[in-house]
């Protein structure tokens, strides 16, 4: 078993352990639905923005910037193509949650430890560039798909949203070399570090409210999983072959970002906007479990041809 596969499996097992803990806490009534909702807001508006800023505390180098721009642009193009694919398969207006699950991957939680281990810590910044492209689409197209409310994606709401605002702060720090006083930096890093744990705890509480017997017979579960874990990652591998002059580790970073399972916010947003939270949780849990098989296969192919 390769090192990348071991890292991936360990990361997924860790996520499920924390998720099960959230389930136990919910069943024991130590966390109720209101508490889970408040934790989800902390994830969306505090810990995730801090994680974004933290990931951009990198010394400026022209080559690093060029590679990051490549990751950002090709990820954005791939995601636009994924949006077109999702709309082609899921055409009904009420299928926004399924489309979201197809388009958005869990590139942060799964991708960061995998990239750090397989490609080296210096490549995490390139993964962050891919994540920035995803973040922009999450808070525009993604919110619109799940909420169904155009007012949620007004220019004012986008610019004042902590997730987007944190991008500007992080980019300013990268481009100028500015750093906050050490206590502020430590606070940002501490809040960013708890992001994954908080998300998994929240998803665990959602699991306690899910009827999986109803979910596993829904065709959408399998359709979304096939598109998210097989079709889009394989297409991405093919797309990366069009850029032979770009360093292999940069192209592999994009592939890892795209090949990850459905984003955890699939479930968080479904709950926040009053949609089918059972389906949202099911998509995250189901694709995450299947990714233990799909991601090593996709990465093995990519390593063989890139």
């Amino acid at each position: 078993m390769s090192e990348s596969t071991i890292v991936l499996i360990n990361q997924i097992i860790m996520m499920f352990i924390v998720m099960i803990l959230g389930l136990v806490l919910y069943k024991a009534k130590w966390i109720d639905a209101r508490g889970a909702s408040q934790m989800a807001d902390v994830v969306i508006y505090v810990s995730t923005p801090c994680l974004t800023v933290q990931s951009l505390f990198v010394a400026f180098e022209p080559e690093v910037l060029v590679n990051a721009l490549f990751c950002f642009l090709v990820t954005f193009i791939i995601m636009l193509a994924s949006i077109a694919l999702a709309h082609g398969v899921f055409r009904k207006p009420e299928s926004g949650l399924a489309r979201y699950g197809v388009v958005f991957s869990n590139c942060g939680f799964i991708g960061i430890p995998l990239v750090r281990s397989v490609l080296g810590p210096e490549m995490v910044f390139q993964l962050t560039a891919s994540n920035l492209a995803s973040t922009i689409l999450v808070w525009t197209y993604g919110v619109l798909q799940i909420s169904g409310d155009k007012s949620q994606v007004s220019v004012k709401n986008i610019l004042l949203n902590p997730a987007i605002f944190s991008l500007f702060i992080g980019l300013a720090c990268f481009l100028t070399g500015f750093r906050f006083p050490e206590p502020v930096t430590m606070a940002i890093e501490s809040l960013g570090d708890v992001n994954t744990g908080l998300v998994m705890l929240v998803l665990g509480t959602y699991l306690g409210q899910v009827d999986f017997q109803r979910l596993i017979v829904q065709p959408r579960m399998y359709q979304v999983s096939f598109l998210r874990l097989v079709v889009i990652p394989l297409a991405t591998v093919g797309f990366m072959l069009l850029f032979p002059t770009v360093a292999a580790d940069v192209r592999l970073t994009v592939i890892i970002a795209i090949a990850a399972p459905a984003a955890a916010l699939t479930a968080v947003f479904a709950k926040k906007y009053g949609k089918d939270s059972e389906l949202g949780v099911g998509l995250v849990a189901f694709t995450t479990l299947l990714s233990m098989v799909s991601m090593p296969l996709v990465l093995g192919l990519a390593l063989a041809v890139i």
Side-chain angles (χ1 to χ4, degrees):
M1 185 178 294
S2 68
E3 181 182 358
S4 61
T5 301
I6 294 173
V7 171
L8 173 65
I9 291 175
N10 285 340
Q11 182 70 5
I12 291 174
I13 291 174
M14 178 276 292
M15 291 169 65
F16 271 100
I17 289 173
V18 181
M19 196 184 302
I20 295 301
L21 175 60
L23 171 64
V24 171
L25 293 175
Y26 179 80
K27 291 295 187 180
K29 302 186 185 304
W30 290 1
I31 301 177
D32 58 14
R34 176 173 171 77
S37 177
Q38 292 171 329
M39 288 172 61
D41 285 341
V42 172
V43 168
I44 295 171
Y45 298 116
V46 180
S47 65
T48 298
C50 285
L51 182 63
T52 299
V53 175
Q54 174 189 355
S55 64
L56 290 166
F57 286 160
V58 177
F60 176 83
E61 293 180 14
E63 183 180 359
V64 171
L65 179 59
V66 170
N67 288 335
L69 286 174
F70 172 83
C71 291
F72 176 87
L73 291 173
V74 296
T75 300
F76 203 85
I77 292 170
I78 291 166
M79 294 189 72
L80 290 179
S82 300
I83 288 172
L85 175 63
H87 280 268
V89 175
F90 301 103
R91 299 183 179 182
K92 295 181 179 179
E94 64 271 18
S95 298
L97 188 58
R99 290 192 287 267
Y100 188 99
V102 170
V103 174
F104 296 104
S105 71
N106 207 353
C107 56
F109 305 148
I110 296 291
I112 288 176
L114 192 56
V115 166
R116 182 182 287 118
S117 173
V118 177
L119 303 177
E122 68 278 1
M123 295 307 299
V124 172
F125 179 74
Q126 315 304 332
L127 180 70
T128 300
S130 290
N131 200 25
L132 295 185
S134 177
T135 299
I136 291 171
L137 289 172
V138 162
W139 290 98
T140 51
Y141 168 81
V143 169
L144 178 61
Q145 285 303 300
I146 295 187
S147 69
D149 183 1
K150 292 183 179 180
S151 67
Q152 295 290 332
V153 290
S154 66
V155 174
K156 178 181 177 181
N157 285 347
I158 292 171
L159 293 178
L160 295 180
N161 185 287
I164 299 297
F165 190 66
S166 66
L167 291 181
F168 295 115
I169 295 176
L171 287 172
C173 291
F174 169 67
L175 294 172
T176 65
F178 172 79
R179 294 294 182 268
F180 296 100
E182 187 172 354
V184 177
T185 299
M186 292 173 63
I188 291 172
E189 292 176 346
S190 296
L191 290 169
D193 289 343
V194 302
N195 191 65
T196 300
L198 277 177
V199 171
M200 292 303 110
L201 281 175
V202 170
L203 292 183
T205 65
Y206 294 169
L207 278 175
Q209 306 167 52
V210 168
D211 180 2
F212 277 102
Q213 289 185 336
R214 181 182 73 86
L215 288 177
I216 60 175
V217 298
Q218 291 193 32
R220 283 182 297 178
M221 289 282 289
Y222 302 93
Q223 291 171 317
V224 170
S225 297
F226 182 68
L227 295 174
R228 169 94 297 281
L229 299 175
V230 180
V231 175
I232 295 175
L234 290 181
T236 300
V237 173
F239 187 49
M240 288 298 101
L241 295 177
L242 300 177
F243 306 96
T245 59
V246 177
D249 53 1
V250 175
R251 290 181 287 161
L252 285 169
T253 297
V254 175
I255 292 170
I256 289 173
I258 297 296
L265 286 179
T266 308
V268 176
F269 277 176
K271 190 76 171 180
K272 178 178 177 62
Y273 293 110
K275 303 302 178 182
D276 189 349
S277 58
E278 283 196 352
L279 177 61
V281 175
L283 289 174
V284 175
F286 197 56
T287 58
T288 299
L289 184 62
L290 293 178
S291 70
M292 296 176 70
V293 176
S294 67
M295 285 194 74
L297 293 176
V298 169
L299 294 182
L301 174 65
L303 288 168
V305 300
I306 293 297

